[in-house]
Amino acid sequence: MSNSNRRNFLKTMGGASVAAAMGLGATRASAAVKAKVVVVGGGYGGAIAARYLKMAEPGLDVVLIEKNKQYVSCPLSNTVLAGFGKLEDLTFGYDGLSRHGITVVYDTVESIDPQARKVKISGGKTFDYDRAIVAPGVDFKWGAVKGYDEATSLTIPHAWKAGPQTTLLTNQLKSMKDGGVVVITVPDNPFRCPPGPYERAALIAHYLKQHKPRSKIIILDAKDKFSKQGLFMQGWKQHYGDMIEWVAAAKGGEIDAIDAATRTAISVVGTKHQADVLNVIPPQHAGHIAHTTGLVSPKGWCPNNPVTFESTMHKNIYVIGDASVGGAMPKSGYGANTQGKVAAAAIVASLRGVEPDESAYLNTCYSLITPDHGISIVGIYQVKEGQLIEVPGSGGVSPMDASPAYRKVEAAHADSWFRNITTEMFG
Amino acid sequence: MRLHIAGVALAIGLTFSAGSQAGGISGSNIGNTCAGCHGVNGASAGTTMPVIGGLSKSYIETTMKKYRDGTRGATVMGRIAKGYNDAQIAAMSEFFAKQQWVSSSEKADANLAKLGSAIHAKRCDVCHEKDGSVVVEGDAPPRLAGQWTGYLQMYLNDVNNPGWASNHPKKQIFATTTKEDIDALLQFYASKK
C-alpha cells in the first residue's frame, strides 16, 4: 500500500474498526505463541527453518528431529579430498539450536500422519504438530546404476553425503599409485550440488598434482553440459593441464552399470572404464520419509507452493531443501537456507492468520579449483504464475579470464561464506 | 499520542496486506536471505564479508544501487543486486540499519594498530569520524571500527590497483598509501570495537 493510499484508508476507517483491527492482530499473535512446529531433518534447510521460526516467534514450540548428533557439511567436503580441508572443521553439533530454545531430538522419523498431524519417531514417541517442515535431503536411487547399492558403497564410495564416505574416498586416493586412474561418474539432473562433481575433479587433481602427478581423472557424465562449465574447464586447463578428462553423455559418458570387483564403470554404449579409484555419484530422489508420507511426485521430488513451500500433496507440511522440486533453484546449501527462511516466515504468517509478506529467494555458491582459485554462481528468484523463476537480468557466474587476484578473492569468499552460513545454522 | 497513531497505521498495514495476493514487503523477509553470507542480522562471521547490520540505511541503499548499476565493482554483489528492485533494496536497507552493529571477533596487533591510529587521524578521520565508529544518516561514509580486516583489505588493496572494488570517493588520498600503511590501518580498525 502506498503512503497516500494508506492515509486515505486511515481516513475512511472509523475508530471502532481500527480498534477491531488491532484487537484481531493481537489475538492472532498470541495464538501463534502456543503452536507446535516439528522440523524433520537438521541440515542446511531444516536447521535454519527451526532457528528462524524461533527468532520470529519465540513462544513457538519448535522440535527438530535429526538422526545424527553431529552434522557434517557437504559444502567444502571436497577440500578434504584435496588434502587441505579437515572433516572436523566441517562437523557441527546442535547445542546452538538447543540454546535458542529449540527441542532437538536425535532419532529417525518412522512415520508422519498428515491427517492427525503427528510425527512418530523410531524410539516410539509421537509429536503432535500444527505445522511440520520436512527437510530430509536426498536419498540415493540404489540400483539405478546396475551393480551399485548401499553395500557396494562401502568399497566404492559415493562421498555425496559427507562423513565416513569422504574419509573412505580420501584414503583410497592416498593409497593409489602414481599413474593411477580416478573415475568419477555423474548423474543426470536434478541432483544435489550441480557444480560439486566438477569441483571434486579439480580438488582431487590438486592433490594428485602434488603427490601423484602422472595420474588421470576421468569424469563420466550423464549430461552434455554442466554448471559453471566454461569456468571449470578453463581452471582445469590452467592448473592441471590434461589431467582431467570430461566425457559428455553424447560421447558415451553416461554409465549403465559398475563392476565393483574390478572397479569398472560400464557406459550405456558398452565402453569399460577400469579405475584405480572409482567414485560413483548415484542418481537421487527426495529422502525416504518424503516418499512414505506421500509428499513425492512420480518424478521423485516434492512439489510445493513456492510462495510458502507448503506441500501441494498434504496441507500443513512444508518441504524445503534438496527434497523439494525447487523450480529454477538448484539443490544447494544456500538454496535450502533460503527456502528454510521462506517456509518459516510463511508458517508464522499462517499461524497469525495473515498472508505471508513477499519473500526473496537467493542462491550463492562458490566452487574451488585450487585453494586460491574460487568461482561462483549466483541466482535470485521470484514467483511468477506459481513457478520459481530467475529474476531476468540478474545472477550468473564469475567472468571468464578473470585475474588471479579476482579468483583469490572468490576463494576467500568461499571460506567466509562457509563460516557465516554454518554460524547461522549452529552458532 | 503520535506513537499510538504509528501503531494503528502498522496494524492496518498488516491487516491490509493480508488481503492481497503477494502480501507486503517486510525488511526481515528480504534481508534475512543475505544472512547466509553476511551473518544473522548482518553480523558477519567471515573476514571477507563485511558487517552490514547497523550501517546507515542511506549507505546500504546507495551501495546496493551502485552495485546494481555497476558504478561500484564487485565479485558477486553486482550479480546479486541486479535481482532486487528499489522497494526491496529500501526494505533490506531499513532492516539492516535497525540492527545492532556487532564488531568482528578479530584480535588486533597492538603495535600496528598504534601506527594505524596516526594514519587514520591524518587521512581518514576527516570523513570516517571518531576512529571510524560513527554511523549517521545521510551521505556519511561507513563505519570502519570493528569491520572485518579481510573485507577492508580487499577494498583498500583495490583502490591503488583498480579492479573490481575501487570506487572510493576520495581516491587521491590513497596515491601515497603503501601496503604497510594499509596493514596498519586494518589493525587499527580491528582494535576498535
Side-chain angles (χ1 to χ4, degrees), chain A residues 1 6 9-10 13 18 21-22 24 28 51-52 55 334 337-338 341 345 353-362 364 366 376-378 380 391-399 403 405-406 409-410 412-413 416-417 419-421 423-424, chain B residues 4-5 7-26 29-41 43-49 74-76 78-85 88 154 161 164:
Chain A
M1 181 164 25
R6 186 170 284 146
F9 187 61
L10 265 171
M13 272 192 91
V18 169
M22 288 182 76
L24 199 60
R28 280 171 177 169
R51 181 155 186 204
Y52 276 78
M55 275 167 70
Y334 210 110
N337 173 291
T338 280
K341 291 165 184 170
V354 298
E355 288 291 314
D357 286 327
E358 181 183 309
S359 284
Y361 303 81
L362 178 61
T364 302
Y366 292 95
S376 64
I377 185 164
V378 165
I380 304 96
V391 176
S394 72
V397 297
S398 314
S403 67
Y406 190 108
V409 165
E410 290 222 288
H413 279 338
S416 289
W417 171 91
R419 283 170 199 276
N420 269 309
I421 203 162
T423 302
E424 194 186 12
Chain B
H4 281 248
I5 290 166
V8 170
L10 190 68
I12 291 170
L14 275 172
T15 345
F16 200 79
S17 67
S20 68
Q21 179 61 37
I25 289 192
S26 77
N29 271 19
I30 307 293
N32 282 342
T33 51
C34 311
C37 291
H38 286 282
V40 178
N41 297 331
S44 175
T47 188
T48 63
M49 311 285 192
T75 51
V76 291
R79 289 178 260 154
I80 291 173
K82 286 183 178 68
Y84 293 96
N85 61 35
Q88 292 169 325
M154 192 175 73
N161 179 21
W164 58 90

Side-chain angles (χ1 to χ4, degrees), chain A residues 67 108-109 135-144 148 150 158 160-161 187 190-192 281-292 296 299-302 322-324 331:
Chain A
K67 178 171 55 178
T108 49
V109 171
V138 298
D139 269 0
F140 301 121
K141 289 158 88 168
W142 300 119
Y148 196 67
E150 194 162 9
H158 53 77
W160 217 239
K161 291 186 181 183
F191 64 101
R192 161 180 284 178
I281 304 169
Q284 297 150 33
H285 56 185
H288 180 70
I289 192 67
H291 291 266
T292 56
V296 177
K299 287 182 174 172
W301 307 100
C302 302
D322 292 347
S324 123
K331 300 192 183 303

